[in-house]
Amino acid sequence: MAKADGQIVIKKYANRRLYNTGTSTYVTLDDLAVMVKNGDDFVVLDAKSGDDITHSVLTQIIFEQESKTGNTLLPVSFLRQLISYYGDQMQMLLPSYLEHSMSAFTAQQDQMREQITKAFGETPMARNMQMPMQMMEEQVRRNTELFQQAMKMFSPFAATDAKPAEDEKPKAESKDLKELKDQLRALQDKLDSMDG
């Protein structure tokens, strides 16, 4: 198969047809979806300009997969949240977070499958469906906590839903506020000395 830096090259023509240069055949989005599932690494290039359009084609595959089946992977609430990040300061952080979360999920996929097989193999399915779901919920909870911690790191002044206990609040605020005031004073002193 023709490859560019280890990748299979798919060319997209103006007539919207996709051409696999390695097999010298036209392919469909379904074929590309199968290639993704098989772990084939490919790049989609605009045949005329040579631009890399892999992102938009993969997005199109997701759209088609979501509309074909009644089982959607992307809940409406997730899509709304995702859209809200466009243009937000967190937009730069989100792709790496999502990539990390999916990598962690993939790494744990085999372990989860083993647990599900073990659970379903030993006792009735209805009784043991709870354990795999708890494992999934735990992973989602951990990923959400990591993301929330990252968001707090990048936006320390953002309001949070969880309010600290009254005895903790003044200590934490006073320490952080004092450090911030000290830093601002030091910067102001530097600026004053430069002007004078």
PDB file of all heavy atoms in Angstrom, residues 63-83:
ATOM      1  N   PHE A  63     -20.153  11.391  12.343  1.00  0.00           N
ATOM      2  CA  PHE A  63     -21.513  11.864  12.076  1.00  0.00           C
ATOM      3  C   PHE A  63     -22.351  10.755  11.440  1.00  0.00           C
ATOM      4  O   PHE A  63     -23.487  10.510  11.842  1.00  0.00           O
ATOM      5  CB  PHE A  63     -21.471  13.104  11.177  1.00  0.00           C
ATOM      6  CG  PHE A  63     -22.828  13.585  10.771  1.00  0.00           C
ATOM      7  CD1 PHE A  63     -23.623  14.282  11.663  1.00  0.00           C
ATOM      8  CD2 PHE A  63     -23.318  13.322   9.500  1.00  0.00           C
ATOM      9  CE1 PHE A  63     -24.886  14.715  11.297  1.00  0.00           C
ATOM     10  CE2 PHE A  63     -24.581  13.756   9.122  1.00  0.00           C
ATOM     11  CZ  PHE A  63     -25.371  14.453  10.024  1.00  0.00           C
ATOM     12  N   GLU A  64     -21.787  10.079  10.445  1.00  0.00           N
ATOM     13  CA  GLU A  64     -22.530   9.011   9.774  1.00  0.00           C
ATOM     14  C   GLU A  64     -22.793   7.830  10.703  1.00  0.00           C
ATOM     15  O   GLU A  64     -23.866   7.255  10.690  1.00  0.00           O
ATOM     16  CB  GLU A  64     -21.794   8.556   8.513  1.00  0.00           C
ATOM     17  CG  GLU A  64     -21.928   9.554   7.397  1.00  0.00           C
ATOM     18  CD  GLU A  64     -21.737   8.953   6.017  1.00  0.00           C
ATOM     19  OE1 GLU A  64     -21.509   7.726   5.908  1.00  0.00           O
ATOM     20  OE2 GLU A  64     -21.821   9.727   5.051  1.00  0.00           O
ATOM     21  N   GLN A  65     -21.806   7.474  11.517  1.00  0.00           N
ATOM     22  CA  GLN A  65     -21.988   6.370  12.454  1.00  0.00           C
ATOM     23  C   GLN A  65     -23.077   6.701  13.476  1.00  0.00           C
ATOM     24  O   GLN A  65     -23.885   5.847  13.834  1.00  0.00           O
ATOM     25  CB  GLN A  65     -20.672   6.046  13.178  1.00  0.00           C
ATOM     26  CG  GLN A  65     -19.588   5.471  12.295  1.00  0.00           C
ATOM     27  CD  GLN A  65     -19.943   4.097  11.748  1.00  0.00           C
ATOM     28  OE1 GLN A  65     -20.445   3.241  12.458  1.00  0.00           O
ATOM     29  NE2 GLN A  65     -19.685   3.892  10.472  1.00  0.00           N
ATOM     30  N   GLU A  66     -23.082   7.946  13.927  1.00  0.00           N
ATOM     31  CA  GLU A  66     -24.079   8.376  14.908  1.00  0.00           C
ATOM     32  C   GLU A  66     -25.486   8.359  14.304  1.00  0.00           C
ATOM     33  O   GLU A  66     -26.442   8.022  14.980  1.00  0.00           O
ATOM     34  CB  GLU A  66     -23.764   9.789  15.408  1.00  0.00           C
ATOM     35  CG  GLU A  66     -22.568   9.866  16.329  1.00  0.00           C
ATOM     36  CD  GLU A  66     -22.875   9.475  17.758  1.00  0.00           C
ATOM     37  OE1 GLU A  66     -23.805  10.045  18.357  1.00  0.00           O
ATOM     38  OE2 GLU A  66     -22.171   8.591  18.291  1.00  0.00           O
ATOM     39  N   SER A  67     -25.616   8.720  13.033  1.00  0.00           N
ATOM     40  CA  SER A  67     -26.944   8.789  12.420  1.00  0.00           C
ATOM     41  C   SER A  67     -27.439   7.431  11.921  1.00  0.00           C
ATOM     42  O   SER A  67     -28.638   7.227  11.805  1.00  0.00           O
ATOM     43  CB  SER A  67     -26.957   9.812  11.282  1.00  0.00           C
ATOM     44  OG  SER A  67     -26.069   9.437  10.268  1.00  0.00           O
ATOM     45  N   LYS A  68     -26.526   6.496  11.659  1.00  0.00           N
ATOM     46  CA  LYS A  68     -26.910   5.177  11.142  1.00  0.00           C
ATOM     47  C   LYS A  68     -27.577   4.310  12.195  1.00  0.00           C
ATOM     48  O   LYS A  68     -28.501   3.576  11.907  1.00  0.00           O
ATOM     49  CB  LYS A  68     -25.681   4.417  10.631  1.00  0.00           C
ATOM     50  CG  LYS A  68     -25.329   4.717   9.220  1.00  0.00           C
ATOM     51  CD  LYS A  68     -24.192   3.821   8.814  1.00  0.00           C
ATOM     52  CE  LYS A  68     -23.697   4.200   7.432  1.00  0.00           C
ATOM     53  NZ  LYS A  68     -22.576   3.384   7.032  1.00  0.00           N
ATOM     54  N   THR A  69     -27.052   4.351  13.379  1.00  0.00           N
ATOM     55  CA  THR A  69     -27.543   3.453  14.435  1.00  0.00           C
ATOM     56  C   THR A  69     -28.332   4.243  15.467  1.00  0.00           C
ATOM     57  O   THR A  69     -28.165   5.442  15.609  1.00  0.00           O
ATOM     58  CB  THR A  69     -26.361   2.761  15.150  1.00  0.00           C
ATOM     59  OG1 THR A  69     -25.606   3.749  15.848  1.00  0.00           O
ATOM     60  CG2 THR A  69     -25.468   2.030  14.165  1.00  0.00           C
ATOM     61  N   GLY A  70     -29.157   3.543  16.179  1.00  0.00           N
ATOM     62  CA  GLY A  70     -29.889   4.184  17.274  1.00  0.00           C
ATOM     63  C   GLY A  70     -29.014   4.330  18.508  1.00  0.00           C
ATOM     64  O   GLY A  70     -29.355   5.041  19.443  1.00  0.00           O
ATOM     65  N   ASN A  71     -27.868   3.652  18.504  1.00  0.00           N
ATOM     66  CA  ASN A  71     -26.961   3.696  19.656  1.00  0.00           C
ATOM     67  C   ASN A  71     -25.891   4.747  19.427  1.00  0.00           C
ATOM     68  O   ASN A  71     -24.895   4.498  18.769  1.00  0.00           O
ATOM     69  CB  ASN A  71     -26.288   2.325  19.862  1.00  0.00           C
ATOM     70  CG  ASN A  71     -27.307   1.236  20.086  1.00  0.00           C
ATOM     71  OD1 ASN A  71     -28.354   1.469  20.665  1.00  0.00           O
ATOM     72  ND2 ASN A  71     -27.006   0.044  19.617  1.00  0.00           N
ATOM     73  N   THR A  72     -26.096   5.907  19.978  1.00  0.00           N
ATOM     74  CA  THR A  72     -25.121   6.974  19.794  1.00  0.00           C
ATOM     75  C   THR A  72     -24.083   6.923  20.902  1.00  0.00           C
ATOM     76  O   THR A  72     -24.389   6.595  22.045  1.00  0.00           O
ATOM     77  CB  THR A  72     -25.793   8.353  19.791  1.00  0.00           C
ATOM     78  OG1 THR A  72     -26.471   8.533  21.026  1.00  0.00           O
ATOM     79  CG2 THR A  72     -26.786   8.480  18.654  1.00  0.00           C
ATOM     80  N   LEU A  73     -22.840   7.228  20.554  1.00  0.00           N
ATOM     81  CA  LEU A  73     -21.761   7.278  21.539  1.00  0.00           C
ATOM     82  C   LEU A  73     -21.643   8.656  22.176  1.00  0.00           C
ATOM     83  O   LEU A  73     -21.080   8.792  23.246  1.00  0.00           O
ATOM     84  CB  LEU A  73     -20.420   6.931  20.879  1.00  0.00           C
ATOM     85  CG  LEU A  73     -20.226   5.497  20.443  1.00  0.00           C
ATOM     86  CD1 LEU A  73     -18.865   5.338  19.760  1.00  0.00           C
ATOM     87  CD2 LEU A  73     -20.317   4.550  21.616  1.00  0.00           C
ATOM     88  N   LEU A  74     -22.142   9.670  21.489  1.00  0.00           N
ATOM     89  CA  LEU A  74     -21.976  11.040  21.951  1.00  0.00           C
ATOM     90  C   LEU A  74     -23.308  11.589  22.444  1.00  0.00           C
ATOM     91  O   LEU A  74     -24.142  12.018  21.646  1.00  0.00           O
ATOM     92  CB  LEU A  74     -21.423  11.914  20.822  1.00  0.00           C
ATOM     93  CG  LEU A  74     -20.113  11.435  20.200  1.00  0.00           C
ATOM     94  CD1 LEU A  74     -19.765  12.264  18.974  1.00  0.00           C
ATOM     95  CD2 LEU A  74     -18.992  11.487  21.221  1.00  0.00           C
ATOM     96  N   PRO A  75     -23.505  11.612  23.767  1.00  0.00           N
ATOM     97  CA  PRO A  75     -24.767  12.130  24.289  1.00  0.00           C
ATOM     98  C   PRO A  75     -24.918  13.623  23.980  1.00  0.00           C
ATOM     99  O   PRO A  75     -23.924  14.340  23.821  1.00  0.00           O
ATOM    100  CB  PRO A  75     -24.657  11.912  25.803  1.00  0.00           C
ATOM    101  CG  PRO A  75     -23.400  11.176  26.046  1.00  0.00           C
ATOM    102  CD  PRO A  75     -22.605  11.143  24.791  1.00  0.00           C
ATOM    103  N   VAL A  76     -26.157  14.071  23.900  1.00  0.00           N
ATOM    104  CA  VAL A  76     -26.438  15.472  23.588  1.00  0.00           C
ATOM    105  C   VAL A  76     -25.751  16.399  24.589  1.00  0.00           C
ATOM    106  O   VAL A  76     -25.189  17.429  24.209  1.00  0.00           O
ATOM    107  CB  VAL A  76     -27.967  15.718  23.548  1.00  0.00           C
ATOM    108  CG1 VAL A  76     -28.284  17.202  23.448  1.00  0.00           C
ATOM    109  CG2 VAL A  76     -28.591  14.966  22.373  1.00  0.00           C
ATOM    110  N   SER A  77     -25.762  16.035  25.861  1.00  0.00           N
ATOM    111  CA  SER A  77     -25.123  16.892  26.882  1.00  0.00           C
ATOM    112  C   SER A  77     -23.627  17.045  26.605  1.00  0.00           C
ATOM    113  O   SER A  77     -23.066  18.132  26.746  1.00  0.00           O
ATOM    114  CB  SER A  77     -25.356  16.342  28.288  1.00  0.00           C
ATOM    115  OG  SER A  77     -24.811  15.036  28.394  1.00  0.00           O
ATOM    116  N   PHE A  78     -22.970  15.965  26.158  1.00  0.00           N
ATOM    117  CA  PHE A  78     -21.550  16.032  25.827  1.00  0.00           C
ATOM    118  C   PHE A  78     -21.326  16.945  24.622  1.00  0.00           C
ATOM    119  O   PHE A  78     -20.407  17.760  24.611  1.00  0.00           O
ATOM    120  CB  PHE A  78     -21.004  14.630  25.536  1.00  0.00           C
ATOM    121  CG  PHE A  78     -19.592  14.629  25.011  1.00  0.00           C
ATOM    122  CD1 PHE A  78     -18.532  14.789  25.880  1.00  0.00           C
ATOM    123  CD2 PHE A  78     -19.335  14.498  23.658  1.00  0.00           C
ATOM    124  CE1 PHE A  78     -17.227  14.800  25.406  1.00  0.00           C
ATOM    125  CE2 PHE A  78     -18.040  14.510  23.173  1.00  0.00           C
ATOM    126  CZ  PHE A  78     -16.983  14.663  24.050  1.00  0.00           C
ATOM    127  N   LEU A  79     -22.164  16.793  23.607  1.00  0.00           N
ATOM    128  CA  LEU A  79     -22.036  17.626  22.414  1.00  0.00           C
ATOM    129  C   LEU A  79     -22.222  19.103  22.750  1.00  0.00           C
ATOM    130  O   LEU A  79     -21.490  19.959  22.254  1.00  0.00           O
ATOM    131  CB  LEU A  79     -23.051  17.200  21.348  1.00  0.00           C
ATOM    132  CG  LEU A  79     -22.820  15.815  20.738  1.00  0.00           C
ATOM    133  CD1 LEU A  79     -23.991  15.417  19.850  1.00  0.00           C
ATOM    134  CD2 LEU A  79     -21.516  15.760  19.975  1.00  0.00           C
ATOM    135  N   ARG A  80     -23.183  19.402  23.614  1.00  0.00           N
ATOM    136  CA  ARG A  80     -23.411  20.798  24.033  1.00  0.00           C
ATOM    137  C   ARG A  80     -22.179  21.338  24.760  1.00  0.00           C
ATOM    138  O   ARG A  80     -21.743  22.462  24.513  1.00  0.00           O
ATOM    139  CB  ARG A  80     -24.638  20.905  24.925  1.00  0.00           C
ATOM    140  CG  ARG A  80     -25.944  20.710  24.199  1.00  0.00           C
ATOM    141  CD  ARG A  80     -27.122  20.808  25.173  1.00  0.00           C
ATOM    142  NE  ARG A  80     -28.329  20.274  24.626  1.00  0.00           N
ATOM    143  CZ  ARG A  80     -29.201  20.973  23.910  1.00  0.00           C
ATOM    144  NH1 ARG A  80     -28.985  22.238  23.679  1.00  0.00           N
ATOM    145  NH2 ARG A  80     -30.294  20.405  23.443  1.00  0.00           N
ATOM    146  N   GLN A  81     -21.630  20.524  25.667  1.00  0.00           N
ATOM    147  CA  GLN A  81     -20.439  20.955  26.403  1.00  0.00           C
ATOM    148  C   GLN A  81     -19.277  21.163  25.449  1.00  0.00           C
ATOM    149  O   GLN A  81     -18.533  22.136  25.563  1.00  0.00           O
ATOM    150  CB  GLN A  81     -20.073  19.927  27.471  1.00  0.00           C
ATOM    151  CG  GLN A  81     -21.035  19.905  28.627  1.00  0.00           C
ATOM    152  CD  GLN A  81     -20.769  18.749  29.578  1.00  0.00           C
ATOM    153  OE1 GLN A  81     -20.165  17.752  29.208  1.00  0.00           O
ATOM    154  NE2 GLN A  81     -21.227  18.884  30.804  1.00  0.00           N
ATOM    155  N   LEU A  82     -19.114  20.258  24.520  1.00  0.00           N
ATOM    156  CA  LEU A  82     -18.027  20.349  23.555  1.00  0.00           C
ATOM    157  C   LEU A  82     -18.135  21.635  22.741  1.00  0.00           C
ATOM    158  O   LEU A  82     -17.156  22.371  22.581  1.00  0.00           O
ATOM    159  CB  LEU A  82     -18.056  19.123  22.647  1.00  0.00           C
ATOM    160  CG  LEU A  82     -16.872  18.891  21.730  1.00  0.00           C
ATOM    161  CD1 LEU A  82     -15.597  18.704  22.539  1.00  0.00           C
ATOM    162  CD2 LEU A  82     -17.117  17.671  20.865  1.00  0.00           C
ATOM    163  N   ILE A  83     -19.329  21.928  22.256  1.00  0.00           N
ATOM    164  CA  ILE A  83     -19.548  23.147  21.480  1.00  0.00           C
ATOM    165  C   ILE A  83     -19.249  24.384  22.313  1.00  0.00           C
ATOM    166  O   ILE A  83     -18.675  25.353  21.823  1.00  0.00           O
ATOM    167  CB  ILE A  83     -20.989  23.177  20.919  1.00  0.00           C
ATOM    168  CG1 ILE A  83     -21.151  22.101  19.837  1.00  0.00           C
ATOM    169  CG2 ILE A  83     -21.346  24.557  20.368  1.00  0.00           C
ATOM    170  CD1 ILE A  83     -22.580  21.835  19.426  1.00  0.00           C
TER     171      ILE A  83
END
